[in-house]
Amino acid sequence: MNKYEGIFIFKPDLAEKDIEGEYIKAEEVIKKHEGKIGKSEKWGKKRLTFTIKKFQDGFFLYVAFEAPPQSIKTLTELFKLNANILRAQLTREE
C-alpha cells in the first residue's frame, strides 16, 4: 500500500449539515476501496484563487491515507462523479 494525500473542494452553497455528510462520504469511499485514513483535516470555507464551475469559494477537506495503487484510478473517477465536489486532487507521498 502506498501513502497518498487528497484535497477536496466542495460546493460553497451546501448547508453545514450537508457538508459534514459530504466529508464523511468522501472518507467512506476511500475506506470502501481498501484505504486506511491516517489523518483528516476540515479546512472550512476558503476563497478560491480562480473560479471553478462559477464558484468563488469552496469547503476544503484534506485527507492523508494509505491505499493500494490500483484503487486510485477508481477513487478519482468516483470523486469526479460526485456533483458536490468541485475538485479532487489525489497525490502520492514520496
Side-chain angles (χ1 to χ4, degrees):
M1 294 227 285
N2 294 329
K3 292 184 179 186
Y4 296 92
E5 293 180 319
I7 295 180
F8 304 90
I9 305 173
F10 295 91
K11 287 184 174 180
D13 58 358
L14 295 171
E16 192 67 35
K17 63 180 170 97
D18 294 336
I19 196 66
E20 284 296 323
E22 289 297 325
Y23 287 164
I24 291 168
K25 275 193 226 176
E27 291 174 359
E28 290 299 320
V29 168
I30 292 170
K31 290 177 186 174
K32 183 179 176 184
H33 289 86
E34 303 176 35
K36 295 179 183 166
I37 306 287
K39 181 166 111 175
S40 178
E41 295 177 3
K42 299 168 188 167
W43 290 349
K45 191 173 186 178
K46 298 200 178 283
R47 190 80 154 155
L48 301 174
T49 304
F50 54 90
T51 305
I52 302 176
K53 297 182 183 176
K54 300 183 181 179
F55 290 105
Q56 294 289 327
D57 302 309
F59 286 101
F60 283 71
L61 173 68
Y62 167 83
V63 180
F65 63 98
E66 290 183 10
Q70 63 272 16
S71 68
I72 297 303
K73 184 175 181 182
T74 305
L75 288 172
T76 302
E77 292 301 318
L78 288 172
F79 292 132
K80 283 182 183 178
L81 293 174
N82 186 335
N84 290 323
I85 296 177
L86 298 175
R87 187 73 41 93
Q89 180 70 45
L90 303 177
T91 57
R92 184 176 173 205
E93 287 185 19
E94 294 298 322

